[in-house]
Amino acid sequence: MLHGAGGGAWEWNVWRRVFTAAGHRAHCPEFQAVAAGLAATQFEDYLEQAARAAAETGASPVLIGASLGGLLAFALSMRQECAALILVNPLPPAPEAGRLPARVAYPEVIPWGRDASFASTRAALPDAEPATWHFAWRRWRDESGAVLNSARAGMVVAEPRCPVRIIASQADEDVPFALSAELALRLGASLQTEPGSHVGPLLGGRAAGVAQAAVHWLNGLGGFRTD
């Protein structure tokens, strides 16, 4: 399970519990800056970290990613055999990335951790409970601008050779629902539509149900160990 930009492995706490209860082993690595710091950290550095974490799980893991983690999971599926992909409001590859909402380039270090507040967290998570707002706003972290600038530039990624499930939020202001639906159509992926925000499927009030639906889809593919 690969987390999004500015977040961490904690974003998957609900999903990890649901998958573990269903008999699956959940691995949630946390991306780290390179020795030279966040400003020097590139998309490829996170991709290498994801590859090492996936290799530790054994052959043909299921790759699950949210937002930036979705694009990383997508890219990783080109390097390593995987059993399935589950992408939660993923940053899309090219050509869909070209239709993301316009924005100025990110600075070298995005101060999401430094500037985090309870109010901004509540605004970003309108579909979460107050306890989640308190939990999350203390855990946001600064992020590499180079990583996100590269991701938003539009990466050319070959179509996956495994089953794909895309979970898309209808009120997502970061990755519009229409782009996720378009990506699902292009890939021939299963599309799960959810109400709510960009991170709602992980941290919102419906998170456990979204994760349970993902488990149901995954188990329906057959051939997965759950011991």
Side-chain angles (χ1 to χ4, degrees):
M1 297 180 178
L2 305 179
H3 67 80
W10 57 269
E11 293 180 343
W12 295 108
N13 285 353
V14 172
W15 279 57
R16 188 192 336 235
R17 289 195 296 269
V18 170
F19 272 72
T20 300
H24 295 281
R25 292 173 292 168
H27 300 263
C28 304
E30 191 147 313
F31 297 117
Q32 304 295 324
V34 297
L38 268 179
T41 303
Q42 305 292 319
F43 185 90
E44 188 69 22
D45 296 316
Y46 283 175
L47 187 57
E48 289 296 332
Q49 293 175 35
R52 290 195 297 269
E56 293 173 0
T57 68
S60 300
V62 175
L63 302 178
I64 304 176
S67 193
L68 173 65
L71 181 59
L72 285 161
F74 199 171
L76 182 56
S77 72
M78 301 300 99
R79 294 189 175 193
Q80 170 173 338
E81 181 181 352
C82 61
L85 277 176
I86 299 176
L87 309 176
V88 184
N89 292 320
L91 282 177
E96 290 83 10
R99 293 186 290 283
L100 284 167
R103 60 157 297 118
V104 298
Y106 288 102
E108 287 187 338
V109 176
I110 310 168
W112 283 334
R114 186 194 70 188
D115 294 348
S117 68
F118 179 77
S120 63
T121 300
R122 181 174 60 185
L125 284 169
D127 40 2
E129 300 294 330
T132 302
W133 299 335
H134 284 281
F135 179 83
W137 81 266
R138 295 182 175 90
R139 289 169 173 80
W140 302 123
R141 65 176 203 173
D142 293 348
E143 188 54 271
S144 162
V147 169
L148 279 179
N149 287 330
S150 294
R152 290 182 59 90
M155 297 189 167
V156 177
V157 182
E159 294 187 8
R161 298 180 297 275
C162 63
V164 181
R165 173 86 152 186
I166 292 179
I167 299 170
S169 296
Q170 292 176 309
D172 191 339
E173 297 181 355
D174 295 290
V175 181
F177 173 81
L179 284 186
S180 293
E182 183 179 332
L183 178 63
L185 181 63
R186 178 166 69 85
L187 299 180
S190 166
L191 178 64
Q192 178 179 332
T193 301
E194 291 291 329
S197 67
H198 184 62
V199 288
L202 272 61
L203 299 174
R206 292 173 51 86
V210 178
Q212 287 167 353
V215 167
H216 180 75
W217 174 80
L218 184 62
N219 289 346
L221 299 178
F224 290 98
R225 290 178 57 187
T226 56
D227 55 343

